[in-house]
Amino acid sequence: MLLSSLWIWTTCLILGASAQSTQGILDLVQRRLPDHVNDFEFQLVTNGTGNITEPSNDNYIVSSTADGKILVAGNSLSALSSGLHRYLTDVVHVDIFWYIGSQLDVGPSTLPTLNSPITGSSIVPWRYHFNTVTFSYTAAFWKWEDWELELDWLALRGVNLPLAWVGQEKVLLDVFQEIGMTDDEIIPFFSGPAFQAWNRFGNIQGSWGGQLPIEWIDNQFELQKNVTKRMVELGMTPVLPCFTGFVPRTISRVLPNATIVNGSDWSGFPVEYTNVTFLEPVDPTFAVLQKSFISKQAESLGNITHIYTLDQYNENNPYSGDLDYLRNVSYNTWQSLKAADPEAIWMMQGWLFFSLSSFWTNDRIEAYLGGVENDSDMIVIDLFSETAPQWQRTNSYFGKPWLWCQLHDFGGNLGLYGQIMNVTINPIEALANSSSLIGFGLTMEGQEGNEIMYDLLLDQAWSESPIETATYFSNWVTRRYAGNGVVTNDLYTAWEMMRTTVYNNTNSTVQAVTKSIFELEPNITGMFRTGHHSTTITYSPNILIEAYTLMFNASKTNPDLWNNPAYQYDMVDVTRQVFSNSFDGIYRSLIAAYTSSNASNTTISSIGKNMTSLLTTLESVLLTNSAFSLSTWLSAARAASTNTTLESFYEYNARNQITLWGPDGEINDYASKSWGGLLSGYYVPRWQTFVDYLMDVPLASYNYTELNEKFLGFELNWQEQGVNGTVQQGSQVGSLQNILEGVGRWI
Ligand SMILES: *[C@@H]1O[C@H](CO)[C@@H](O)[C@H](O)[C@H]1NC(C)=O
Ligand SMILES: *[C@@H]1O[C@H](CO)[C@@H](O)[C@H](O)[C@H]1NC(C)=O
Ligand SMILES: *[C@@H]1O[C@H](CO)[C@@H](O)[C@H](O)[C@H]1NC(C)=O
Ligand SMILES: *[C@@H]1O[C@H](CO)[C@@H](O)[C@H](O)[C@H]1NC(C)=O
Ligand SMILES: *[C@@H]1O[C@H](CO)[C@@H](O)[C@H](O)[C@H]1NC(C)=O
Ligand SMILES: *[C@@H]1O[C@H](CO)[C@@H](O)[C@H](O)[C@H]1NC(C)=O
Ligand SMILES: *[C@@H]1O[C@H](CO)[C@@H](O)[C@H](O)[C@H]1NC(C)=O
Ligand SMILES: *[C@@H]1O[C@H](CO)[C@@H](O)[C@H](O)[C@H]1NC(C)=O
Ligand SMILES: *[C@@H]1O[C@H](CO)[C@@H](O)[C@H](O)[C@H]1NC(C)=O
Ligand SMILES: *[C@@H]1O[C@H](CO)[C@@H](O)[C@H](O)[C@H]1NC(C)=O
Ligand SMILES: *[C@@H]1O[C@H](CO)[C@@H](O)[C@H](O)[C@H]1NC(C)=O
Ligand SMILES: CC(=O)N[C@H]1CO[C@H](CO)[C@@H](O)[C@@H]1O
C-alpha cells in the first residue's frame, strides 16, 4: 500500500510534466556523441499493463531499425538513458568516467548494429546518488561544466533520484529576511564555501577566516537553477532542501517567544561555531518558515519535486530522549512539510542510527519515525549498508520506505578499496527480505577513485541476482581503456588480481576506503588504525606490486596506452597505493630504530631521508595528473570569484578542509588527500619535523604534546599561504612514463 501511493505520485509526475519529451536524452547524445545524433531514436512507451497503481520498475529495449538506426525504447527517461548506456558499454565498449571525462566518442565511426534486441529491467524503482557532504568534499567549487559531466554520468548509470543541494543559502536568506531579520543577523550564521554541508544540517554555524559573501550565495543559487533544470530534462526527480529548524541565534530578536534550544557540540568545535540553535518544530513559526522556504524555492526552481531532504539530528543529540518529545518533533516537522506541499515526502539520512547508536535505541527510532504517521511520506537512506546496515535492527525502519546505499569512503580519502561481495549479494538479500526497500544508491562522502565499485552497485539495480564480478571486471576493463588500441591481457590480469584482493575486503574491522599514514600527523604509536577511518590494508602489498607491474607492462605491448586518460589516471592511482604501502614499512623501521636500545642519529636520519625521498618521488608521479594535484582544487576555489580578497578566502577554505578541518584542527586530516603539492608542501615538512624531533629527543623524554605544538604552528601557517594569490603548484619533472621507468627502487 505504502509503496503504491509513492508510485502513483511518481508516475503522475512523469506523465504530468513535459518530461514526456525525449529531448533531454537527445541533448545528452548531442553533448557526448555529436557525430551520432542521427544514429539514435528514443521512444517512450507505456509498458505492459499500463496500470499505474502497480509499482513498476524501469525497463528498456534496444534494437536496430530497418534503416540502420539504434532504437532505444523504454518506459521512462531514466530507462532510455540506461538503455543507451547499456548499448554503449556492452556493444560499443565505451563509457564516461569521473576524473577522466566522457570517452563515449572514441568508438567506431559506424555504430555496430544489433542482431537481437537487448532488454533490461530495473529491480528497484529508485536509484539514488549523493551524500549531503559530497556537495562540500567534492562539488564545493564545481562549475556548471563539472555539473554537466556529473549529471550525464548519473543519467547514463540510471540514477533517477539525485540530491540537489546547491545554493540553498539564498532561499534561507530570503526566508529570514521576510520575518524581519537583517543581513547582519543572518549572514554570520552561514559557513564558508567548503563547509556548507555541515551548516545545513546543524553541526556547525558561522565561518572562520572570513564571512560568506552575498556574491557566493547568489552565484550558487544560479548554479542550482541550471542543475535542477538539467536533472528534470534527464528524467530525474531532484531531492530539494527545505527548512530544517537550524536558525541563527539572533532570531530571538524578531521571534522573542519562539521555542528554541541549543543543539549539542559537534566534534569539539568552539561554542561560537557549534551548539547550533534549533527552532523546535512544535513552535508555530516552524511551519511558517517551512511554507516560506518551500514556496520561495518553487517560485525560483519550479514545482519539480515533492521529495525534500531534512536531517535534524545528524551527529547532533536531540534536546531530549523522551519518546513523546521525539515523536512530537517529527510529527510537527512532517505536518509543516504537508502544509507547505500536500504531497511532500521527507527524506532523511539514517546515519545517526549508526553513529549515535547508544542514543538511538529502537524505541527512540520508532518514536521519531512514528511521528510521520503515513509511512509513504518518508524515505530513509540506509547510508552505510555495505558495512553497517541498520535496516534489520530497525525492522526495515518500522515500515518506512528506505534505500540500500554504499558509502564506501569518508572525506574523499583515496585508498584503493572495495567490498565486491557485500555490494552485490547484500542488496539482493535485502530486497528479498524487506518489502519497504525501494531503491539502491551511492552515498560516498567524496567521489574518488574506485569507480568500478560505484558502477557495480548501480548496475546491480538492474540484475535480479548478485552480479558475477569476474565477467563484470573484465567487461569494465575493456571499456575503461577504449580508444587507444588493444587492451592487453596484462590489464585484464591486473584487474582480476585486484578484484579478488584490493576490492574483496571481507575483514569487518576495516570498514571503508583506507588512507595513507603519511597523510596523518606523525607519532610513534597509533598510526595504524582500523574502523571506518582505516589506515590498515587487508591484502598483501606484494599482490598490488604484481598488479602494478602487469599494468605497467601493458604499455610495452601497446605504447599508445600512455595517451589513454584512464590508463594515465589508473597508473598514478595504483602507484600512489603501492608507495603508500611501502611507506608503512619505512615508518615501521623508523620506529624500530628509534625505540631500540642503541638508537642512533645516523640510522634515524638515513631512514628519514628514505621517507622524504619516497614522498618526493610519489609527488612527481601525482603531479603528472590534474586529478591528483592540489592546484586543481585550489585553482577551482579561486576561480569562484574575481575579487582578490574573496579568492583568498575561498582558497583558505579549500586548504582548511583538506588539512585542519576547522579553525584549529578540530577534525584534523579527516579529508586528507594524496595530492601533488600537498605531499611536498605539507606532509614532507611534518615528517621532517618528526624525524628531527626523534633525533633531538630520546624515547624516554618523548612528549607528544610538545611535538604536536610544532605541527600546529606549521599547519596554521600553511592555511594562510594562499593570501598572496599564488597557488602552490609543485613542479612537474617529466612525463608519467619517464618517471615510472625510474621508480624501480621503490617497487
Ligand atoms: C491495477 O493494480 C491494482 C493493484 O495491483 C489493482 O487493484 C487494480 O485492479 C488494477 N487495475 C486494473 C485496471 O488492472
Ligand atoms: C547556466 O548555464 C548556462 C548555459 O546554459 C551558462 O551560460 C551559465 O553560466 C550557467 N550558470 C551558472 C551559474 O553556471
Ligand atoms: C511574547 O510573549 C509575551 C508574554 O506572553 C507577550 O507580551 C508578547 O506580546 C509576545 N511577543 C510576541 C512578539 O509575540
Ligand atoms: C554545547 O553542547 C554541549 C553538549 O554537546 C553542552 O555540554 C554545552 O552546554 C553546550 N553549550 C551551549 C552554549 O549550548
Ligand atoms: C507550483 O504549485 C503551486 C501550488 O499548486 C502553484 O500555486 C504555483 O503557481 C506553482 N508554481 C510554479 C512556478 O509553477
Ligand atoms: C558485510 O556485510 C555483513 C552483513 O551486513 C557484515 O556483517 C559484514 O561486516 C560486512 N563486511 C564488511 C567488510 O564490512
Ligand atoms: C573474497 O574473500 C572471501 C573471504 O576470504 C572468499 O570467501 C571469497 O571467495 C572471495 N571472493 C573473491 C571474488 O575473491
Ligand atoms: C582484520 O584486520 C585486522 C587489522 O589489520 C587484523 O588484525 C585481523 O587479523 C584481520 N582479521 C582477519 C580475519 O584477517
Ligand atoms: C602519540 O603517541 C604517544 C606515545 O605513544 C601517545 O601517548 C599519544 O596518545 C599519541 N597521540 C595520538 C594523537 O595518537
Ligand atoms: C628505503 O626504503 C626502501 C623501500 O621500502 C627499502 O627497500 C630500503 O631498505 C630503505 N632504506 C633504508 C635506509 O631504510
Ligand atoms: C642527534 O642530533 C641532534 C640534532 O639533530 C642532536 O641534538 C643530538 O645531540 C644528536 N644525538 C646524538 C646522540 O648525537
Ligand atoms: C510493468 C511491466 O509490464 N513491465 C514489463 C515491460 O516490458 C518488459 C520487457 O518486455 C518486461 O520485462 C516488463 O515486465
Side-chain angles (χ1 to χ4, degrees):
M1 270 312 274
L2 58 101
L3 296 179
S4 305
S5 60
L6 187 63
W7 177 250
I8 293 173
W9 169 80
T10 321
T11 311
C12 291
L13 182 84
I14 291 168
L15 299 180
S18 60
Q20 277 299 68
S21 159
T22 58
Q23 191 59 45
I25 309 299
L26 289 167
D27 290 346
L28 187 161
V29 174
Q30 173 73 54
R31 281 191 294 278
R32 305 300 171 194
L33 285 159
D35 294 343
H36 295 291
V37 270
N38 296 318
D39 294 337
F40 289 98
E41 261 177 49
F42 297 96
Q43 271 177 17
L44 273 175
V45 292
T46 38
N47 180 279
T49 63
N51 182 345
I52 62 165
T53 64
E54 281 190 38
S56 159
N57 292 312
D58 295 292
N59 40 65
Y60 58 76
I61 303 179
V62 189
S63 56
S64 282
T65 65
D67 58 351
K69 291 190 177 192
I70 301 298
L71 171 66
V72 186
N75 64 347
S76 68
L77 292 181
S78 185
L80 295 184
S81 54
S82 300
L84 171 64
H85 188 238
R86 175 85 182 281
Y87 169 77
L88 292 170
T89 56
D90 287 14
V91 181
V92 192
H93 306 296
V94 292
D95 209 342
I96 180 172
F97 299 104
W98 291 336
Y99 301 105
I100 287 155
S102 175
Q103 303 295 300
L104 294 171
D105 57 354
V106 304
S109 55
T110 304
L111 293 177
T113 54
L114 292 168
N115 296 327
S116 54
I118 309 173
T119 61
S121 295
S122 73
I123 58 168
V124 280
W126 296 110
R127 280 82 58 195
Y128 175 77
H129 192 80
F130 288 119
N131 189 305
T132 44
V133 301
T134 322
F135 288 79
S136 291
Y137 283 134
T138 302
F141 302 108
W142 273 3
K143 305 185 297 293
W144 172 229
E145 294 73 49
D146 301 311
W147 273 106
E148 289 197 279
L149 182 71
E150 174 82 3
L151 295 175
D152 286 347
W153 188 101
L154 294 176
L156 288 164
R157 280 164 172 72
V159 169
N160 57 3
L161 189 63
L163 188 59
W165 229 39
V166 184
Q168 67 215 54
E169 285 67 27
K170 173 69 182 155
V171 181
L172 210 47
L173 179 64
D174 290 352
V175 166
F176 290 139
Q177 281 171 345
E178 192 177 66
I179 58 168
M181 294 180 73
T182 64
D183 285 5
D184 286 348
E185 289 171 324
I186 305 164
I187 306 268
F189 169 68
F190 294 136
S191 297
F195 301 102
Q196 296 193 302
W198 300 274
N199 180 225
R200 291 170 186 170
F201 51 52
N203 294 155
I204 59 172
Q205 60 181 339
S207 174
W208 46 98
Q211 182 169 291
L212 192 71
I214 295 282
E215 176 192 291
W216 173 271
I217 295 174
D218 288 342
N219 288 348
Q220 289 292 302
F221 196 58
E222 288 308 304
L223 188 56
Q224 169 79 335
K225 289 179 187 167
N226 279 8
V227 168
T228 51
K229 180 166 177 279
R230 179 65 57 80
M231 285 175 172
V232 171
E233 286 166 5
L234 290 168
M236 303 174 188
T237 300
V239 181
L240 288 178
C242 61
F243 178 67
T244 54
F246 298 110
V247 295
R249 286 192 181 139
T250 49
I251 202 169
S252 51
R253 183 184 64 80
V254 294
L255 298 178
N257 294 346
T259 315
I260 54 176
V261 293
N262 271 2
S264 59
D265 173 274
W266 186 70
S267 292
F269 272 74
V271 169
E272 68 169 310
Y273 296 126
T274 184
N275 289 93
V276 181
T277 308
F278 184 63
L279 174 65
E280 292 279 17
V282 66
D283 192 281
T285 50
F286 188 97
V288 173
L289 298 185
Q290 189 66 275
K291 191 171 177 73
S292 169
F293 190 110
I294 286 180
S295 58
K296 284 184 199 315
Q297 178 168 258
E299 275 164 31
S300 303
L301 305 181
N303 287 319
I304 54 173
T305 190
H306 298 289
I307 306 188
Y308 302 94
T309 178
L310 207 177
D311 290 309
Q312 293 173 319
Y313 298 123
N314 186 74
E315 301 183 2
N316 295 321
N317 291 313
Y319 179 70
S320 156
D322 177 75
L323 300 186
D324 288 335
Y325 173 83
L326 293 171
R327 189 180 292 105
N328 253 325
V329 167
S330 57
Y331 175 81
N332 285 289
T333 304
W334 171 58
Q335 287 297 300
S336 80
L337 287 168
K338 288 303 210 190
D341 174 351
E343 292 166 85
I345 293 173
W346 169 1
M347 174 183 280
M348 70 173 280
Q349 298 191 139
W351 173 252
L352 68 176
F353 304 138
F354 166 66
S355 73
L356 261 182
S357 57
S358 57
F359 175 89
W360 287 104
T361 54
N362 270 15
D363 54 349
R364 284 180 177 155
I365 297 175
E366 189 167 17
Y368 186 65
L369 299 183
V372 179
E373 292 175 352
N374 293 336
D375 282 342
S376 58
D377 285 346
M378 190 171 223
I379 300 173
V380 182
I381 304 179
D382 195 74
L383 207 78
F384 198 11
S385 307
E386 82 277 23
T387 298
Q390 301 298 302
W391 64 271
Q392 292 105 326
R393 80 141 165 141
T394 58
N395 193 11
S396 291
Y397 296 102
F398 302 101
K400 295 288 183 290
W402 66 279
L403 306 170
W404 195 102
C405 291
Q406 174 182 212
L407 194 152
H408 192 254
D409 85 274
F410 293 91
N413 290 159
L414 293 178
L416 298 179
Y417 180 86
Q419 295 184 35
I420 49 169
M421 294 178 69
N422 274 13
V423 164
T424 52
I425 298 166
N426 297 15
I428 297 302
E429 282 180 1
L431 199 53
N433 289 300
S434 174
S435 60
S436 62
L437 172 53
I438 58 164
F440 299 167
L442 303 175
T443 47
M444 65 275 119
E445 285 203 344
Q447 288 181 185
E448 23 86 15
N450 299 304
E451 192 165 336
I452 196 164
M453 291 307 303
Y454 298 101
D455 286 348
L456 187 58
L457 180 58
L458 290 178
D459 278 330
Q460 189 60 63
W462 299 75
S463 171
E464 281 174 346
S465 54
I467 287 175
E468 200 283 293
T469 53
T471 315
Y472 188 87
F473 268 56
S474 173
N475 291 338
W476 193 87
V477 168
T478 305
R479 60 189 201 254
R480 178 76 170 172
Y481 303 113
N484 292 80
V486 62
V487 179
T488 68
N489 276 337
D490 287 339
L491 287 170
Y492 291 103
T493 312
W495 278 93
E496 173 59 14
M497 289 174 78
M498 293 198 285
R499 179 182 73 89
T500 56
T501 54
V502 173
Y503 289 113
N504 183 35
N505 177 45
T506 55
N507 184 328
S508 59
T509 71
V510 176
Q511 301 175 331
V513 161
T514 54
K515 71 167 154 200
S516 304
I517 65 164
F518 65 68
E519 297 171 8
L520 299 176
E521 275 182 349
N523 197 2
I524 55 169
T525 59
M527 302 297 282
F528 292 103
R529 302 172 186 172
T530 53
H532 52 269
H533 304 293
S534 178
T535 54
T536 307
I537 56 167
T538 55
Y539 51 87
S540 153
N542 288 334
I543 297 276
L544 193 65
I545 292 176
E546 281 182 56
Y548 166 87
T549 306
L550 286 165
M551 287 177 80
F552 183 76
N553 286 346
S555 69
K556 294 184 176 151
T557 317
N558 175 10
D560 204 32
L561 279 170
W562 291 113
N563 298 319
N564 182 289
Y567 183 75
Q568 292 165 355
Y569 180 97
D570 292 341
M571 283 311 293
V572 172
D573 202 19
V574 173
T575 307
R576 179 198 56 65
Q577 190 66 52
V578 167
F579 274 56
S580 166
N581 298 348
S582 265
F583 186 90
D584 292 354
I586 307 184
Y587 168 79
R588 286 194 167 97
S589 67
L590 178 73
I591 301 309
Y594 179 62
T595 55
S596 86
S597 51
N598 54 350
S600 91
N601 269 0
T602 324
T603 317
I604 292 172
S605 162
S606 82
I607 300 174
K609 289 203 176 84
N610 212 12
M611 274 183 160
T612 306
S613 172
L614 178 141
L615 293 177
T616 310
T617 307
L618 176 55
E619 159 108 351
S620 66
V621 175
L622 298 169
L623 283 174
T624 63
N625 197 300
S626 63
F628 293 92
S629 300
L630 173 65
S631 63
T632 304
W633 174 244
L634 299 186
S635 303
R638 295 193 81 88
S641 185
T642 51
N643 162 319
T644 38
T645 309
L646 292 182
E647 283 177 356
S648 295
F649 170 55
Y650 295 171
E651 182 176 344
Y652 167 81
N653 260 257
R655 285 172 178 259
N656 186 251
Q657 187 207 75
I658 58 173
T659 56
L660 287 177
W661 211 133
D664 295 302
E666 280 72 8
I667 49 172
N668 205 1
D669 295 321
Y670 179 96
S672 63
K673 301 284 179 317
S674 290
W675 283 346
L678 206 49
L679 266 64
S680 61
Y682 199 76
Y683 301 137
V684 166
R686 281 203 312 209
W687 283 96
Q688 194 58 58
T689 300
F690 181 62
V691 170
D692 289 347
Y693 185 83
L694 299 188
M695 290 202 287
D696 277 341
V697 179
L699 181 60
S701 314
Y702 183 88
N703 179 338
Y704 185 71
T705 310
E706 185 179 87
L707 180 58
N708 196 250
E709 275 163 20
K710 292 179 197 277
F711 291 145
L712 187 61
F714 163 77
E715 290 159 350
L716 287 168
N717 185 47
W718 187 87
Q719 312 292 305
E720 308 294 340
Q721 280 179 21
V723 285
N724 60 7
T726 46
V727 167
Q728 193 162 352
Q729 296 289 348
S731 51
Q732 196 179 320
V733 295
S735 71
L736 177 61
Q737 181 180 358
N738 286 338
I739 297 168
L740 293 185
E741 304 273 3
V743 300
R745 172 182 168 213
W746 302 107
I747 289 169

